[in-house]
Every structure is written in structure tokens, then in C-alpha cells.
């Protein structure tokens, strides 16, 4: 299944910063050289503030066939994440992660209210009823992020030129992330990350 | 010790055999039962081991399940996820109580103990401590592991399950104490004693008990049996506080420096209890059968030995010569057969003994008693007579001329004579205790309580034998000589009595009196003869014998042409011993042969010597009957004659009538050969025997010597002088020279000359002289002797 992240703020960013923009393509591999899917990259500007987040930022993590869809999500802090239940059984979502601790009651359909993820960090979601259901939500303070597909490539589109600290991590497969400083210009940039095992 | 008695031996054998069998059976049963008990216990141990293993496994599974459920409890997870120490501790404690865990720990992903209900203080200091058994902590979400471990010195069944939030954030470790109660539960299920022991190689005493169904004393005992190597399963025989146990040592999980083992064991006592009852029964049975076997073997042994003893008594009776009582054992078995055999033996021995006695004591020829029986009877009679005041007598007799009969007519005739004599004795001697043939022609008769005069009996015997014995119509004339000896005056013992009877018999024979009663005088002369006979041998060796010569003077011419050689014995002590004292006994013993040889040699030598001195004398030598039996005599004579160069005609051999009558055929042969040599032969002592003249006519003799008994009495006895005259005529008619012996006076000399007798010999002319004196005498008287002058000459 293809992962889709809607980023409604992309156009606004370009309007506020009339600098030329480009795409950053990150190739993520593990120490054995395998391409890593569901890896996450995000770029934080160095020496400049990131554009403020939108107050109505929304994200959705669905529950289909007793799985979270998508399993790995990246959201900007302050995003309201809704947890629709596409299954015909009930789920009860919880998180013991410090970035966001919460519990929903058993529900089905769209009964659960959206949950505001206001702190950066990694939140691991589980279902109190179905122990096997796990989802990871990475909460960052930057609009420039992306996740990798099965080709191991994650592409951040339209990122203005400037200096950035680019971080790659893949918590769902147990790989430890790290950051690299990167100076971007108008030209498309390509960066390879090799992730070590760890959490 | 050797057991001599058969009865004891039988009893000992049976009892020993039975005891042996019972001991062997007991040993085998004992071994088999002990083995059974052990294998039964061993089997129980193995079953128990399986049950035990299964129980532990089930227990672990159950605990795992409980732990997993507990770890999945949302509230529990939520509390754990708070990372708040106090909360975690309380939730561990709370939920631990809920599932009955004795220890609850939370261990984070780094293996550090976050919370520990068992040892809360160890965590409270804030320094994280590593969990002792990291191997339990498996990272997998679904895993749950369990093992037996030691916490705080106590045994626990530990179960670790990850806490999911939803990813693992750590492990909750739950501990269930393994204590004596658990051991007792296990014992209930396995029916085995259960102990858990800890092996800590670093400790001075590596083994210690963690939990057990045993009391502390038994536990101490158990520890001493545990093996040095805790990692290996072991099968042990243990002595737990005096009771024998079989044990299995099962190593449990090993997670570090210490190891826990489970020891399952079971006492043999239970398994052996049944056998103990059996053993008691066996012992009782053994003692019962032993007692029965003793009673039985005593009975059997008696059954055998009683009749054997009876047989032994019978055999002893037979041994002592009592054959009267039969063996009194009536049985159908082998002993019965033995008894019957013994009976047969007894009668057989009795019969044979009777037969042997008969052989030993009876003379088979005459059916009279033999010498042995006679000796026994005589001894018995003497013993009896000595005890009482009795008298007894014995007669000893032999037959005259029996040897002649036996030798000339054969043994069958001799045997016939003996049988006939026996028959006559038996019919004549009625009062005899015993009539015996002592051997040959010798008989003995024992008469008890005699009046001391047996002359009548002796005469009766002689009379009974006067009637000739007929053999195939031919009359045989046998006489007898009888010696009589009385007890006690002629001897107080059998030997003496027999000897004296014998002496008396010889006296009777010598004196031709028919019978004689013993007289001590006989004994001395007899003794003298006997000793003389012994000395006679020495006499020849020591040259004590001499020859004297008595001249024969011609009645016609007074010439002296012949002498008779007469032996004299110059005994160094006795002086001159007359021939009559030793010649008869020399004849009797056969020693006469040597004497004759000596006489012949000396006579021929002397004859030769005289011849060389110019004295031609015919020498006469007396030859005994025994000499006539000697076939070598002619050769010896021939050799002597040629040795001394003496013409045969100068030797004259004088033989008595009886001399050749003993074996006339043989004597005739010897005489014929002597005659062929040219030796002269003369009949000596003519008229004393009973020989028939016709027989003498066949002999090659040239001379007849009339016995002195006729000559000495013929002057006074008309009848005798007539006999002498007719004898002289008879001799002359037969062509024989007639010589008269014993001429002692002038009257005899004159009468003989008138009767035409040829030669005279006697004291009237000369006594026997030695060779030198004889030569002198002859030179003085040859041709001159007329009686008176001769008498003067011999003066």
C-alpha cells in the first residue's frame, strides 16, 4: 500500500520565502546496504526559524484489518490526528509515549475525537485490545519531511535553499536515526543515510 | 573329627544336605526379592521422575500463562509505563499477590532491575542493579521463559515475560517459591521423597538443601550422598538416617555459578516389607523341615543301623566260632539279602570247619585220629587228669617189617596193611580214648583211668596182629613193638609222655620183647646214644675211630689167613665205646654209610699195607642193609682196591640176613656186581633171621658165618649142636666156607673141629687187636694155634 502524506502547507512556504526551492532526495539503507522502507527524514533549518505551523493542521491514522494505516507517520507539532476505525470491530488506542500519552475508549467508526500532538518526539501507538497493532508517529517542528517507500527513497519537495540539519530515522524497523548538516541550493540534492540498528 | 557311626553319618548327611538346600534357596530367594524390590523401587523412581518432570513443566507453563496474562493487563502495563518507582513497586506487589507470586521484579530493556518486591531495599538505593539471570530475558514480544533459580538464598520458579507498551519496555519477572510445601505436593503426586539441593562449587560445603520433604536430620544424611558433579544425572543408593533409599539426582536449569538439582528417592523398606514377611515364612518353613528331616533321617538311619547292628552281633558270634544261632533279621530289602547271605555263610563256614577239622585231625587212610588230634586229646586228658587225680597211659607202637612190605610189595599193599591194622586195633582196644596213626606205621593209643598195667592190652594187640594179614589171598606177616608210658610217673606233659613211650617202644624192639613199659634206664641209654650219634660226626673228623681186627683161625691147619675188621671208637672222654652203642643208631640215621666208607677205606688200606709187609690176610668188613641199597658201593670198593693195590679176593664183605631181606632185588644187584669184582661175600650172623635157605642159595656168597648164639651154647645144648652140624653140612654142600663166631673155649674149638667147620673166630683165639698187635700175634701163632698154646700166647 502506498503511503500518502498530505502537506497542505507546501505552497505557503514558497510564498513566504521567495527563494528558489528544490527537492531533497534521501536514500536510506541499513548497515548491510539494504534499502529501508518506512524510514523518515526531516530537515530543520539552521540559523533561521521554520515557518510557523498552521493551526488547522490535520492528519489521519486509520485502522484497517487490525492494523494502523499508515504504520509510520510524520506530523508537525500541533497537528490534530484523527483515528478513524475502518474495521467493524472496536479498538481502544493508547500511547504511553512521553510525547503524547493518551487512551481512547473503545470505539468504532469515527467516534474518537482527534488528538492534538503538540510536542515533538516519537509516539508509539498500540491498541489495548489487539496487542499486535503498533504505529509510530514522529512529531517534528518543521514542515519539510518525508518517508521512504519500498525503494528506500524519501523525497522532500520544494525545500528552500539554505542550511539545514537533516535527520533520518526508522524506528518501526529498529534502526537508529542520525542528523547531517546539509546546505541546499536551488538544485536538487541527494543524500544517502546508512542507519545502524538501535532504538 | 571323623564320624564313626553310620547312623550319625546318615543324619548328619541329610541334615547338612537339607540345610544346604535351604540356605541356597534362601539366598536365591533373598537375592531375587531384593533385586525385585530394587527394580520395583527403581521403576517407581523412573515413573516418579517422569511425573516430576511433567509437573515441573506444567507448573512452569501454568506460571508462564499466568505471567503472560498478568503482563498483558492494561492497568498493569499502564502502571509500569509510568516509570514511577513507587507505582511500579505497588503494582508488582498488587498483581503478584493476585497470581500468588512470591517475588515480582520489573527489569528494563537494559537488564537492570527497576523494581523488586522480594528485595525492595536493594532497588531503593537508586543504583540500578543487573538482573541475576539475564538468560531468562528473551527480547521476543511473545516469549515467556521459566527456570528454577535461587533468589536471596531460596529456590524460585522464575518466569519472565516482556511488558508491551505496545513495544517491549522491559520484563516482569515473577518468582514462585519452591519450598517444603511444594516438595510435599510433589511427593503426593509422585509418591517419592523430593528434595531440591543447591550446588555451589565455591562453597566449602558445596551442597545445601533448598527444600525437601525430609526432616533436617534426613537432609543432612542426604547431603552426604550427593555426587561431586551436579551436572550429571545419577542413580544413587543412599542410606538416609538408617533406611536404604534409591535415589535419582536430576540436574535442573543451570544459569550461573550455582546449580539446582532435584533429588527423588524412595525407601526400599516399603518394597522390602513384603519380602520380610516372605523371609519369615521361609525361615519358619526351613526350621520345620529341618526338624522333620532330623526326625525322618533318625528313623531311616535306625531302620538301617538296627538290623546292621544285629548283623554285626551275628557276625561277631560267627567270628567266635558259634555257628548255632541263625542271623535274626527278617527283611525283604538288601539288608535282608545280606542277612540271608550271612546265614548261608554261617552254615557254609560251619560245614567247612567241620570238614577242615576232619582233615586236620583225622587220618584219611585209616579214619583214625591223626597226630594233631592225638596231641590235642593227650593234652586235654593230661589237663583233666592233672586237675583231678586221674591217671592215664599211652601206648606207642610201630610195625615190624612194614617198610619191607611197603618197599617190596608197593604202597597199595602198605596202605592195606595199615587199614587192616587199624581195624584190628579198633576192635581190640575197646577202652581207648583215642587211637591214632601218627604217621607211617606208627600208632598211638590213649587210655584214660587205666589201672597202671597195660601189659594185657599190649599182649592183646600183639596177639591180634599174629594172624597174618591177607592181601589178594597172600598172607603178610607183620609184627609190632609197643612202648607204654603212664601219666604222671613217666611224664607230666604230653611231649615227655610221647617221647618216653617212644623210647619204651624202641627198647621193646631192640630187646625183641614185643612190648615194654618205660623205664628211666632206657632214657639214659637212649640219651647216651643220641649224644654219641652227635659226637660220631666229630669222631670221623677228629680221627677218633679205630679198626681192630679179630683173626679167623683155620680149624684144619691153624693157619691164619683172614681177619674181621671191627670198628672201635676211642672217645676222648668215654674211652673205648663198643660198636653196639653207636652202630644201630648210625644205621637208623643213615650215618652208617659214612662209617662203612671209612671202615672200607681203612680196612683196604691196612690190607694193602700188610700185603706189602708180606702178610697176606683177607679182611672182612661188615656191610649194613643200608649199604646194600647204595648203588655206588661196588664202584667205591673197586676204586679203593685199585688205589691200595689190593686184590679183590682179599676183601670180604659180611652181610646179615636181614641186611638183604629188606630189599632183596636191589641187594642182589649190588651183590652181583661186587661178586663180579672178585670181592668175597659172607653171610653174617647166620641163623638169627627168618630167611629161606633157598633164597640164600641164589646169592653169590662164598662164606657162611654161624651166629655166636649157637656156638656159645652148643656145648651144653644137644639140639643146638645138631643145628650147627647140619648148618656146617649144609654150607659145605652148597660149596660155602663155614665160619664159627664166638668161639670162647677149648670145648667149642674141639667140637667145631670135629664137626668139620672151616674157620673159627672168637676170644678163645684172640680178642680184636689193633693192626700192629695183630701182625705180631699172627707171626707168633700162624699155623701153631692148637688151643692151649694159643691161650698161653694170648695170655
Amino acid at each position: 500500500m502506498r503511503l500518502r502524506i498530505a502537506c497542505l502547507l507546501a505552497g505557503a512556504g514558497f510564498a513566504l520565502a521567495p527563494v528558489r526551492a528544490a527537492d531533497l532526495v534521501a536514500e536510506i539503507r541499513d548497515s548491510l546496504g539494504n534499502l529501508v522502507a518506512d524510514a523518515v527524514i526531516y530537515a530543520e533549518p539552521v540559523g533561521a526559524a521554520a515557518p510557523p505551523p498552521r493551526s488547522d493542521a490535520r492528519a489521519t491514522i486509520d485502522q484497517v484489518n487490525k492494523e494502523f494505516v499508515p504504520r509510520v507517520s510524520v506530523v508537525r507539532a500541533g497537528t490534530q490526528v484523527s483515528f478513524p476505525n475502518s474495521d467493524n470491530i472496536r479498538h481502544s488506542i493508547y500511547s504511553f509515549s512521553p510525547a503524547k500519552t493518551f487512551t481512547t475508549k473503545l470505539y468504532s467508526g469515527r467516534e474518537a475525537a482527534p488528538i492534538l500532538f503538540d510536542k515533538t518526539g516519537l509516539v508509539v501507538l498500540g491498541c489495548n485490545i489487539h496487542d499486535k497493532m503498533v504505529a509510530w508517529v514522529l512529531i517534528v517542528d518543521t514542515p519539510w519531511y518525508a518517508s521512504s517507500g519500498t525503494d528506500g527513497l524519501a523525497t522532500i519537495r520544494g525545500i528552500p535553499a539554505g542550511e539545514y540539519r537533516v535527520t533520518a530515522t526508522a524506528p518501526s524497523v529498529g534502526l537508529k536515526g542520525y542528523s547531517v548538516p546539509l546546505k541546499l541550493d536551488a538544485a536538487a540534492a541527494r543524500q544517502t543515510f546508512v542507519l545502524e540498528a538501535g532504538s | 573329627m571323623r564320624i564313626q557311626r553310620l547312623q550319625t553319618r546318615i543324619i548328619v548327611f541329610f541334615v547338612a544336605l537339607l540345610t544346604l538346600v535351604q540356605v541356597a534357596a534362601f539366598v536365591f530367594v533373598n537375592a531375587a526379592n531384593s533385586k525385585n524390590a530394587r527394580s520395583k523401587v527403581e521403576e517407581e523412581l523412573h515413573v516418579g521422575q517422569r511425573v516430576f518432570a511433567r509437573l515441573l513443566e506444567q507448573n512452569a507453563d501454568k506460571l508462564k500463562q499466568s505471567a503472560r496474562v498478568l503482563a498483558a493487563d492494561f492497568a498493569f502495563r499502564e502502571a509500569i509505563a509510568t516509570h514511577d518507582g513507587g507505582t511500579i513497586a505497588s503494582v508488582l506487589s498488587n498483581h503478584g499477590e493476585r497470581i500468588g507470586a512470591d517475588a515480582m521484579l520489573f527489569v528494563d530493556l537494559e537488564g537492570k532491575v527497576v523494581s523488586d518486591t522480594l528485595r525492595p531495599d536493594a532497588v531503593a538505593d537508586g543504583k540500578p542493579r543487573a538482573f541475576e539471570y539475564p538468560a531468562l530475558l528473551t527480547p521476543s514480544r511473545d516469549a515467556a521463559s521459566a527456570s528454577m533459580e535461587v533468589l536471596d538464598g531460596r529456590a524460585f520458579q522464575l518466569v519472565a515475560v516482556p511488558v508491551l507498551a505496545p513495544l517491549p519496555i522491559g520484563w516482569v519477572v515473577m518468582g514462585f517459591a519452591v519450598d517444603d510445601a511444594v516438595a510435599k505436593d510433589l511427593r503426593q503426586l509422585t509418591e517419592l521423597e523430593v528434595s531440591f539441593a543447591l550446588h555451589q562449587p565455591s562453597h566449602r560445603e558445596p551442597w545445601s538443601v533448598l527444600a525437601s520433604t525430609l526432616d533436617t536430620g534426613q537432609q543432612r544424611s542426604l547431603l552426604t550422598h550427593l555426587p561431586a558433579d551436579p551436572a550429571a544425572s545419577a542413580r544413587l543408593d543412599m542410606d538416609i538416617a538408617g533406611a536404604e533409599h534409591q535415589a535419582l539426582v536430576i540436574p535442573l536449569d543451570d544459569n550461573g555459578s550455582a546449580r539446582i538439582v532435584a533429588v527423588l528417592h524412595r525407601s526400599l523398606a516399603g518394597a522390602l516389607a513384603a519380602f520380610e514377611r516372605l523371609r519369615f515364612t521361609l525361615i519358619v518353613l526351613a526350621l520345620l523341615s529341618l526338624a522333620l528331616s532330623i526326625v525322618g533321617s533318625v528313623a531311616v538311619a535306625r531302620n538301617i543301623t538296627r538290623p546292621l547292628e544285629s548283623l554285626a552281633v551275628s557276625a561277631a558270634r560267627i567270628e567266635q566260632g558259634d555257628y548255632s544261632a541263625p542271623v535274626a533279621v527278617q527283611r525283604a530289602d538288601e539288608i535282608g539279602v545280606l542277612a540271608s547271605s550271612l546265614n548261608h555263610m554261617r552254615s557254609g563256614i560251619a560245614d567247612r570247619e567241620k570238614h577242615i577239622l576232619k582233615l586236620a585231625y583225622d587220618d584219611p587212610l585209616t579214619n583214625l585220629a591223626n597226630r594233631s588230634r592225638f596231641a590235642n586229646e593227650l593234652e586235654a586228658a593230661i589237663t583233666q587228669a592233672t586237675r583231678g587225680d586221674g591217671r592215664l597211659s599211652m601206648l606207642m607202637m610201630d610195625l615190624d617189617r612194614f617198610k619191607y612190605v611197603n618197599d617190596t610189595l608197593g604202597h597199595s599193599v602198605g596202605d592195606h596193611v595199615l587199614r587192616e591194622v587199624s581195624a584190628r586195633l579198633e576192635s581190640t582196644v575197646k577202652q581207648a580214648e583215642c587211637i591214632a596213626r601218627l604217621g607211617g606205621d606208627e600208632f598211638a593209643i590213649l587210655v584214660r583211668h587205666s589201672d597202671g598195667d597195660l601189659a594185657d592190652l599190649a599182649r592183646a594187640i600183639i596177639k591180634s596182629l599174629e594172624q597174618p594179614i591177607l592181601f589178594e589171598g597172600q598172607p603178610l606177616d607183620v609184627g609190632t613193638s609197643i612202648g607204654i608210658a603212664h601219666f604222671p610217673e613217666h611224664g607230666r606233659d604230653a611231649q615227655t609222655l610221647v617221647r618216653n613211650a617212644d623210647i619204651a617202644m624202641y627198647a621193646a624192639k631192640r630187646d625183641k620183647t614185643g612190648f615194654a613199659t618205660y623205664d628211666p634206664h632206657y632214657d639214659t641209654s637212649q640219651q647216651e646214644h643220641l649224644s654219641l650219634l652227635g659226637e660220631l660226626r666229630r669222631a670221623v673228623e677228629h680221627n677218633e675211630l679205630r679198626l681192630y681186627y679179630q683173626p679167623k683161625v683155620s680149624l684144619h691147619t691153624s693157619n691164619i689167613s683172614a681177619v674181621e675188621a671191627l670198628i672201635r671208637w676211642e672217645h676222648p672222654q668215654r674211652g673205648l665205646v663198643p660198636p653196639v652203642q653207636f652202630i644201630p643208631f648210625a644205621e637208623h640215621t643213615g650215618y652208617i654209610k659214612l662209617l662203612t666208607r671209612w671202615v672200607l677205606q681203612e680196612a683196604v688200606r691196612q690190607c694193602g699195607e700188610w700185603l706189602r709187609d708180606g702178610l697176606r690176610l683177607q679182611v672182612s668188613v661188615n656191610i649194613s642193609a643200608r649199604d646194600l641199597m647204595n648203588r655206588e658201593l661196588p664202584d667205591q670198593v673197586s676204586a679203593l682196591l685199585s688205589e691200595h693195590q689190593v686184590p679183590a679176593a682179599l676183601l670180604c664183605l659180611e652181610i646179615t640176613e636181614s641186611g638183604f631181606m629188606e630189599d632183596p632185588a636191589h641187594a642182589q644187584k649190588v651183590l652181583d656186581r661186587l661178586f663180579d669184582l672178585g670181592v668175597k661175600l659172607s653171610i653174617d650172623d647166620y641163623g638169627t633171621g627168618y630167611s629161606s635157605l633157598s633164597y640164600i642159595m641164589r646169592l653169590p656168597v662164598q662164606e657162611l658165618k654161624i651166629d655166636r648164639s649157637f656156638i656159645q651154647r652148643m656145648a651144653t645144648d644137644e639140639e643146638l649142636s645138631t643145628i650147627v652140624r647140619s648148618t656146617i653140612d649144609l654150607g659145605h654142600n652148597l660149596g660155602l666156607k663155614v665160619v664159627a663166631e664166638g668161639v670162647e673155649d677149648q670145648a667149642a674149638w674141639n667140637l667145631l673141629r670135629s664137626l668139620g667147620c672151616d674157620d673159627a673166630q672168637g676170644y678163645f683165639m684172640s680178642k680184636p687187636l689193633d693192626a700192629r698187635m695183630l701182625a705180631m700175634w699172627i707171626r707168633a701163632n700162624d699155623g701153631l694155634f692148637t688151643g692151649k698154646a694159643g691161650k698161653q700166647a694170648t695170655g
Side-chain angles (χ1 to χ4, degrees), chain A residues 94 96 124-126 128 131 136, chain B residues 74 77-78 81 141 165-167:
Chain A
Y94 70 89
F96 298 141
V124 183
L125 300 177
N128 198 16
D131 286 349
W136 289 264
Chain B
F74 184 73
R77 287 190 291 177
E78 195 172 26
R141 288 164 54 92
L167 292 176

Side-chain angles (χ1 to χ4, degrees), chain B residues 8 31 48 143 169 211 291 296 299 307 310 317 320 330 422 507 535 560 612:
Chain B
T8 318
I169 54 168
S310 162
R317 258 206 323 267
Q320 286 156 8
Q330 300 294 333
S422 303
E535 291 169 15
I560 299 147
R612 280 187 289 283

Side-chain angles (χ1 to χ4, degrees), chain A residues 47-85:
Chain A
R54 286 173 59 131
S55 59
D56 58 347
R58 296 285 186 273
T60 302
I61 297 173
D62 200 358
Q63 293 156 83
V64 182
N65 280 334
K66 293 188 273 183
E67 284 196 3
F68 290 106
V69 179
R71 289 184 72 226
V72 179
S73 308
V74 187
V75 298
R76 182 141 191 205
T79 303
Q80 294 274 5
V81 181
S82 57
F83 296 94
N85 181 353

Side-chain angles (χ1 to χ4, degrees), chain B residues 443-454:
Chain B
F443 294 84
I445 298 162
L446 172 64
V447 184
R448 274 198 227 186
H449 312 297
S450 70
D451 54 4
D453 185 9
L454 287 168

